[in-house]
Amino acid sequence: MDTINGHTRLYGLFAHPAKHSLSPLMHNLSFQARQINAVYLAFDLKDDLGTAVKSIRQFDMGGVNLSMPFKKEVLPYLDELTPEAQMIGAVNTIINHDGYLIGTSTDGNGFFASLSAKGYPVQKKTATILGAGGAGLSVIAAGASGGLSSIHVFKRHNATFRTVSDTLDHFSGRCGTSIRLYDYNDRKALRKAISESDFLINTTNIGMGDDRSIPVPAELIEDLDPSLVVCDVIYEPRQTRLLQTAREKGCVTFNGLGMLIYQGALAFQLWTGQSMPVKKVEKAIQEKLYPK
């Protein structure tokens, strides 16, 4: 809609920092394309999350997105969590139903929706996933509930290793997917896992902002099978060194742009009941991120 009036519904992002976000571009373009009388704003929220959540009800906002650290901190303020949010203990989307706030996570499901849209469904496939932080757990949970038959997870053997192991055991028991956790430094296990996998997915921040860092030892990259689909949740730079090297080996590769767009598309659907014009949004974001 071109005109903001007394009927305009407010949506937004609670984040810190927030000014860099592409979510306003994505959702406002979609509202306009679908002729929905709504506007999406980015709110740089430094503290007092409770008051911010109260404003969702107070201002009858349609919903909000959240970034870390608010994805976990917001849980006590919500009325309900979806099964996805319960599994990972975090939300990136809140839906407001007449003051009743439901928290969900669209990150992992968005990632796999983007792969499916490109012709790479994951049902009955095997994946090796690097990292088990917020993005990693979202992808692991969505992959387990979405039909992956086996998941190999690699993370640093630090203070959270045992907790993550217990969490993944819970995922496995709930979804029936075989999930195994390994020490990131176990190169023999990493080599074997990659050789058995259909997908290699980096959910760490290794490679973000530079074209030199790589989350997989060079000697393992040399042995990549061309049939392997290699993904990185990073979208800036457009091609991380992992993706560049994998492409040189003949692998199909995807960066994190698809995840960014499709997690937004799922939130848009939950809020409005309408589909996001994905191709139009993708074109606008690519022009913003990767100007010629």
Side-chain angles (χ1 to χ4, degrees):
M1 301 292 289
D2 294 327
T3 303
I4 295 176
N5 55 39
H7 299 282
T8 303
R9 197 83 186 273
L10 177 62
Y11 295 81
L13 169 71
F14 291 168
H16 181 65
K19 292 180 175 61
H20 69 287
S21 174
L22 294 168
S23 293
L25 171 62
M26 185 186 316
H27 289 289
N28 287 319
L29 179 63
S30 300
F31 290 144
Q32 185 174 30
R34 295 294 184 245
Q35 296 187 321
I36 297 172
N37 190 357
V39 64
Y40 186 107
L41 301 177
F43 297 95
D44 197 319
L45 186 64
K46 297 179 177 63
D47 53 31
D48 204 356
L49 178 61
T51 299
V53 174
K54 185 178 179 180
S55 72
I56 300 173
R57 298 185 177 95
Q58 187 72 28
F59 300 141
D60 192 28
M61 297 176 67
V64 300
N65 294 127
L66 306 106
S67 70
M68 291 299 285
F70 305 124
K71 290 182 179 183
K72 292 181 179 292
E73 292 180 3
V74 77
L75 299 184
Y77 301 106
L78 302 178
D79 299 306
E80 182 183 333
L81 298 179
T82 63
E84 294 88 352
Q86 291 176 24
M87 284 181 69
I88 65 175
V91 306
N92 77 327
T93 302
I94 298 173
I95 308 106
N96 180 12
H97 285 309
D98 297 322
Y100 187 83
L101 303 184
I102 301 172
T104 190
S105 175
T106 64
D107 285 333
N109 288 327
F111 174 80
F112 288 109
S114 72
L115 286 182
S116 181
K118 298 295 185 182
Y120 293 89
V122 300
Q123 287 76 15
K124 298 182 180 180
K125 303 289 187 179
T126 296
T128 292
I129 298 177
L130 309 177
L137 288 179
S138 297
V139 171
I140 295 164
S145 60
L148 279 173
S149 61
S150 181
I151 303 174
H152 305 291
V153 181
F154 287 81
K155 80 173 296 291
R156 291 179 298 150
H157 202 297
N158 56 16
T160 64
F161 195 88
R162 174 58 63 183
T163 300
V164 169
S165 179
D166 292 341
T167 299
L168 298 185
D169 286 344
H170 172 68
F171 289 2
S172 180
R174 185 165 181 168
C175 300
T177 298
S178 172
I179 306 176
R180 295 192 62 185
L181 178 64
Y182 306 86
D183 185 343
Y184 210 135
N185 291 323
D186 190 339
R187 295 193 176 187
K188 182 178 180 180
L190 182 57
R191 181 188 296 275
K192 184 173 187 296
I194 293 174
S195 70
E196 296 173 350
S197 295
D198 302 286
F199 296 89
L200 172 62
I201 305 165
N202 176 45
T203 72
T204 75
N205 61 4
I206 299 174
M208 182 180 293
D210 72 79
D211 57 3
R212 298 179 301 278
S213 302
I214 192 165
V216 178
E219 66 268 23
L220 300 190
I221 290 289
E222 291 299 318
D223 296 332
L224 289 185
D225 191 292
S227 66
L228 185 69
V229 178
V230 181
C231 310
D232 204 321
V233 300
I234 296 168
Y235 57 82
E236 203 167 7
R238 187 173 193 169
Q239 291 290 323
T240 59
R241 187 181 169 201
L242 171 64
L243 297 186
Q244 290 172 1
T245 308
R247 289 186 70 180
E248 291 170 0
K249 296 299 176 182
C251 301
V252 172
T253 64
F254 297 103
N255 71 3
L257 187 61
M259 179 178 181
L260 172 70
I261 293 171
Y262 278 86
Q263 63 80 26
L266 292 175
F268 187 84
Q269 177 80 37
L270 290 169
W271 290 334
T272 68
Q274 297 194 42
S275 63
M276 176 177 279
V278 169
K279 289 185 178 179
K280 183 175 290 190
V281 168
E282 183 174 14
K283 182 175 184 292
I285 289 182
Q286 285 185 340
E287 290 174 352
K288 178 72 173 179
L289 283 175
Y290 317 124
K292 294 181 180 179

